[in-house]
Amino acid sequence: MEQIKVLHYVAVMDRGGQETFIMNVFRNIDRDKVMFDFLCTLRTEGDYDNEIQHLGGEILRVDQTKIEGNLKRLVNTYFLYRKLKQLRREYAAFHIHSQHAMDAFFSALAAKKAGFKIVIVHSHNTNTDFHKKFHFVFRPLLNMIPIKRFACSRAAGQWMYKNTNFEVINNGINTEIFKFSQEAREHVRGHMRWSEKYVIGHVGRFAKQKNHEFLINVFEKVHVIVPESVLVLCGEGELKSEIERQVAKKGLKDHVEFLGVRTDMALLYQGMDLFCFPSLYEGLPVTLVEAQANDLPCLIAEAITDEVIINENVYRLSVDNNEEKWAKEIEKISKKKFERRNRERIMIEAGYDMEYVAKYLEEFYLEE
């Protein structure tokens, strides 16, 4: 069988949720049959660029205008159309990853006009921080274009397509590497100097959506009632320095660890005692799937879809002026005795094993 190529459209291949999902698929798909390349709008090097090239993929760039204002979107759409016109004969499909109907509409329109027969829009979120009213304006226009519609959850699909038919593609993971190990836990806790600590973890980009400011305010209260607690923050982002200043101002520098972007999250989950995730909105976060695969108790915001709840150790609270409630809930959880177990079978049965997800997408690309 001749290899086909799929072109994924993203901003940059950093370690965000949707990018991690794409990489999980890329690692597990039969690359003799289906190869991934990536068309990026940003010129900066992504966290995954080297691995992509090692796996045989290519990183391509599309020009972006420096014009500001209403013309910007149209000029960038023309640049994308021009680039895709050059590439259309190389690729079987153009796979757009987005959270905004306006962006998805213009990208899909450019791809269709450039000659791509198979255009996929993949919804990865349930809200946006940017031009929200335009999302609702362009959603019916997006639904008029003949595209394939994917979403990471039912909620993310309804956000992007409303009542138009779409298909949920689970954010699968390698369940084998995330399963709990007492031996690994003891090793990580010793290495990270967490042995005597109650470790609260968070993984996510430092952006408004992730609600770090709220998390720090909660932890300030937690640390008073659970003095052996430590907060571990993994990730980078535009608001990181602001959160570092907030931590310093509250006198918590010795109790909050900023670990940056990590390649060893499967190990770090082992050493944590609680995963805390107060996001304002999410599609279906890969990190919560990973944490549950590790049987790590999770306290999450009610705004996050209940589709992400796979096992019984997930607790939900509203983030609306509820810092005190979150702190008390964390105190209550800290006093429980959790016997963490191997959850691999449950994750597989729930459809979150990446081997299954990758095989499904492989067959989709080949059949289309």
Side-chain angles (χ1 to χ4, degrees):
M1 179 182 292
E2 185 180 349
Q3 183 194 62
I4 67 165
K5 295 171 72 176
V6 176
L7 185 60
H8 289 268
Y9 187 48
V10 296
V12 62
M13 284 303 293
D14 277 342
R15 291 182 184 274
Q18 70 179 31
E19 294 83 6
T20 296
F21 165 76
I22 301 167
M23 289 305 298
N24 282 339
V25 175
F26 194 21
R27 295 178 189 118
N28 285 274
I29 208 163
D30 186 341
R31 294 185 296 278
D32 289 332
K33 295 180 180 177
V34 181
M35 178 54 62
F36 288 178
D37 287 345
F38 298 82
L39 183 60
C40 300
T41 59
L42 299 182
R43 294 279 169 183
T44 55
E45 183 177 349
D47 298 324
Y48 288 123
D49 286 7
N50 287 337
E51 184 182 359
I52 287 169
Q53 291 163 349
H54 177 73
L55 293 174
E58 188 176 354
I59 307 291
L60 307 173
R61 312 283 178 186
V62 60
D63 291 334
Q64 298 286 285
T65 183
K66 295 181 180 179
I67 297 173
E68 294 297 334
N70 295 333
L71 275 177
K72 180 178 180 179
R73 184 70 54 185
L74 294 177
V75 173
N76 282 338
T77 300
Y78 172 71
F79 285 164
L80 177 60
Y81 160 78
R82 189 174 61 184
K83 184 73 172 181
L84 294 178
K85 191 84 171 173
Q86 299 169 359
L87 299 171
R88 71 186 188 279
R89 299 189 189 283
E90 294 182 42
Y91 296 95
F94 185 57
H95 196 146
I96 301 161
H97 299 270
S98 183
Q99 67 179 47
H100 202 297
M102 180 173 67
D103 292 340
F105 168 78
F106 282 115
S107 303
L109 185 65
K112 282 293 184 180
K113 291 295 184 183
F116 276 82
K117 292 182 179 179
I118 305 301
V119 176
I120 305 156
V121 171
H122 201 142
S123 177
H124 287 277
N125 231 317
T126 58
N127 211 324
T128 181
D129 292 335
F130 308 101
H131 309 299
K132 193 169 180 176
K133 65 180 179 180
F134 287 114
H135 169 80
F136 296 109
V137 169
F138 278 89
R139 188 164 64 182
L141 298 177
L142 174 64
N143 287 332
M144 293 172 64
I145 301 178
I147 55 174
K148 300 294 181 180
R149 297 172 179 84
F150 287 169
C152 63
S153 65
R154 291 191 303 275
Q158 288 160 0
W159 161 255
M160 183 67 79
Y161 316 113
K162 199 175 180 181
N163 296 323
T164 304
N165 289 338
F166 60 87
E167 188 170 357
V168 173
I169 306 295
N170 285 339
N171 282 347
I173 62 169
N174 184 335
T175 55
E176 170 70 24
I177 69 169
F178 286 99
K179 67 183 180 183
F180 178 71
S181 161
Q182 184 62 37
E183 183 181 355
R185 174 173 169 82
E186 291 171 4
H187 170 75
V188 170
R189 287 177 68 83
H191 178 73
M192 298 298 293
R193 300 180 182 178
W194 293 342
S195 296
E196 306 302 320
K197 304 291 185 181
Y198 183 76
V199 183
I200 302 166
H202 180 275
V203 184
R205 187 170 44 89
F206 284 86
K208 181 181 177 182
Q209 171 190 350
K210 302 299 182 181
N211 211 10
H212 284 88
E213 182 179 350
F214 176 88
L215 180 57
I216 300 303
N217 289 338
V218 169
F219 180 69
E220 181 183 27
K221 299 178 186 302
V222 169
H223 193 64
V224 173
I225 53 182
V226 187
E228 70 278 13
S229 59
V230 60
L231 178 63
V232 175
L233 303 176
C234 302
E236 294 289 345
E238 60 272 20
L239 297 183
K240 183 178 180 182
S241 58
E242 184 178 319
I243 299 303
E244 287 174 329
R245 285 193 294 272
Q246 182 189 0
V247 167
K249 188 175 181 179
K250 291 180 178 294
L252 294 171
K253 285 183 70 174
D254 293 337
H255 311 290
V256 178
E257 300 181 18
F258 292 85
L259 299 189
V261 173
R262 304 290 297 211
T263 60
D264 58 349
M265 282 313 308
L267 284 174
L268 291 179
Y269 288 127
Q270 306 275 8
M272 295 176 185
D273 297 294
L274 175 68
F275 193 71
C276 200
F277 211 68
S279 294
L280 299 174
Y281 59 88
E282 292 283 347
L284 195 145
V286 177
T287 52
L288 275 175
V289 178
E290 294 171 347
Q292 288 179 85
N294 193 248
D295 205 20
L296 180 60
C298 301
L299 177 60
I300 71 174
E302 281 185 351
I304 300 171
T305 176
D306 59 7
E307 297 169 71
V308 78
I309 299 175
I310 304 163
N311 69 37
E312 68 276 12
N313 293 333
V314 179
Y315 306 84
R316 301 173 83 199
L317 285 175
S318 169
V319 297
D320 295 333
N321 302 313
N322 264 340
E323 294 166 3
E324 193 71 43
K325 283 188 177 180
W326 278 67
K328 288 180 178 177
E329 186 68 15
I330 291 172
E331 180 191 19
K332 191 188 303 182
I333 294 170
S334 73
K335 293 177 179 178
K336 292 184 177 182
K337 299 294 182 184
F338 290 96
E339 187 176 332
R340 285 159 72 178
R341 295 169 287 163
N342 183 342
R343 295 284 187 164
E344 189 174 9
R345 182 181 59 81
I346 292 173
M347 303 302 293
I348 292 171
E349 289 175 353
Y352 284 96
D353 184 70
M354 181 45 73
E355 283 191 25
Y356 168 81
V357 175
K359 186 65 177 176
Y360 180 85
L361 284 174
E362 176 187 310
E363 291 175 357
F364 169 84
Y365 292 134
L366 291 170
E367 287 174 8
E368 291 295 329

